[in-house]
Amino acid sequence: MPPPRGQPHAEWKTAVWILNGVGLVLLLAVLITYFTREPARAASAPFVYLGRTPRPTATPAATSYDLPTVTPNPLATPIQDYSTPTPFVFTGGQTAVSIGHSVSGAPISAYTFGHGEAQYLIVAGIHGGDEGNTVDLANQLMVYLSDHPDVVPSGAVLYVIPDMNPDAVARGRNSDARVNANGVDLNRNFPSGNWVPDWDHSNCWNERPTTGGAYGGSEPETRAVMNFIASHRLQGMISYHSAALGVFPGGNPWQAASKDLAAQLGRAAGYPYPPIDIGCDYTGTLADWAVENSVGAAVDMELSTHEDADFSQNLRALKVLLSFGD
Ligand SMILES: [Zn+2]
């Protein structure tokens, strides 16, 4: 029987379709390989395939915060981490809120105790180093407040910034660790009316060279606290230092309400008021800037030594602060 007409033709058609299929699969494989190559290799290819534009050069991811260029402080000693290895866990459930970062990127935290319209603030650690016992005090007060929430009167709220200068505090308890990582004295860096970049050091702390910064508010730690204060309506504030000189009212000249608060705090804690005058002209301080920017009353208060936290004296002082201005 002769072979059916058309069968050889059908076999030929089948072969063509198989070849077409194989060709398409190969073409797809080539295309997939090309388009899944690394961008850098694709961009550096010696030709542009089918007019495809090269991928743009990757830009670095933006950082989560904006900090000035870090100038290493030649006085800085190697960082030692004196911080607690784990965050505080308060029985009252208080948690840290980051209000900014140090030059080295360490978070600056604030904690909140109580609820109400009358707002108060404690800042510690602004001078790090030898004044690190102020951070101890703030930590001890926070633990106590968490266990004894009734210390904060109803209608009042206390904010605590326990470590304003974490880069300095981490350098340890020594004179090298007073300034921030840019070599700036943060309690000379606030843009108060009397801010200056330099001052007569002869009657002031002069164990190491320091500056007031490139301009008032030049440091990220300073700006973090300025932003916090500007976004709250504070009736009273204590900025803690050590040691032994007493309680300094904010304002230049001293503001009346701050003098009143300083006198009451001095009596409660047993610290000198008026403060001991060593002939130093204090410029660009946190307390001065605070009262110039609508904080009701503000003081710099010095613990009696560089070692003790003076907890019981300052628990009495805290109760004075939390009823001030009522
Ligand atoms: Zn100080």
Side-chain angles (χ1 to χ4, degrees):
M1 185 170 80
R5 287 186 58 129
Q7 191 166 333
H9 182 64
E11 283 171 358
W12 179 80
K13 271 171 71 178
T14 305
V16 167
W17 278 113
I18 288 170
L19 278 172
N20 275 344
V22 169
L24 276 171
V25 167
L26 282 173
L27 183 61
L28 272 174
V30 167
L31 284 172
I32 287 168
T33 305
Y34 180 83
F35 282 108
T36 54
R37 284 191 306 176
E38 291 173 30
R41 288 187 57 202
S44 63
F47 58 91
V48 177
Y49 181 64
L50 293 176
R52 182 170 163 266
T53 50
R55 301 185 191 193
T57 309
T59 49
T63 48
S64 59
Y65 49 85
D66 206 14
L67 290 177
T69 309
V70 175
T71 309
N73 173 16
L75 304 171
T77 48
I79 296 279
Q80 294 172 273
D81 188 1
Y82 281 73
S83 59
T84 47
T86 51
F88 279 109
V89 177
F90 290 119
T91 53
Q94 292 83 4
T95 54
V97 173
S98 176
I99 63 165
H101 293 82
S102 68
V103 171
S104 299
I108 298 169
S109 299
Y111 295 81
T112 303
F113 298 86
H115 308 276
E117 289 290 304
Q119 303 181 55
Y120 302 94
L121 173 64
I122 283 177
V123 178
I126 189 170
H127 273 157
D130 289 328
E131 304 186 16
N133 56 333
T134 65
V135 178
D136 294 340
L137 171 64
N139 291 343
Q140 291 176 21
L141 287 174
M142 290 196 299
V143 169
Y144 187 87
L145 288 171
S146 185
D147 291 341
H148 303 86
D150 52 329
V151 170
V152 182
S154 63
V157 56
L158 173 69
Y159 305 106
V160 181
I161 299 172
D163 185 358
M164 179 186 160
N165 194 356
D167 294 348
V169 169
R171 265 182 254 131
R173 302 279 171 95
N174 58 75
S175 297
D176 287 331
R178 180 184 180 89
V179 293
N180 79 346
N182 285 336
V184 175
D185 181 332
L186 295 180
N187 204 40
R188 297 272 190 177
N189 186 239
F190 281 81
S192 59
N194 65 355
W195 176 87
V196 287
D198 201 7
W199 56 93
D200 178 2
H201 294 250
S202 52
N203 290 322
C204 301
W205 186 93
N206 57 13
E207 294 172 36
R208 299 286 189 281
T210 61
T211 81
Y215 54 90
S218 62
E219 303 308 296
E221 297 91 346
T222 307
R223 291 197 300 274
V225 171
M226 288 169 62
N227 288 338
F228 184 87
I229 290 174
S231 59
H232 294 81
R233 286 181 50 193
L234 298 169
Q235 273 179 229
M237 189 198 87
I238 299 173
S239 173
Y240 272 108
H241 293 256
S242 62
L245 294 180
V247 195
F248 295 81
N252 186 33
W254 290 345
Q255 180 226 30
S258 297
K259 283 163 56 174
D260 184 17
L261 176 62
Q264 291 188 39
L265 291 172
R267 272 197 300 277
Y271 296 149
Y273 181 81
I276 296 167
D277 184 357
I278 58 171
C280 177
D281 185 18
Y282 302 99
T283 54
T285 71
L286 165 55
D288 283 356
W289 182 86
V291 297
E292 290 171 14
N293 288 272
S294 75
V295 174
V299 301
D300 275 350
M301 187 149 90
E302 297 214 330
L303 307 184
S304 43
T305 67
H306 286 317
E307 286 78 36
D308 290 342
D310 290 357
F311 174 78
S312 56
Q313 293 102 302
N314 285 284
L315 182 58
R316 293 197 297 272
L318 176 62
K319 291 171 182 173
V320 168
L321 173 72
L322 293 174
S323 61
F324 186 79
D326 284 351

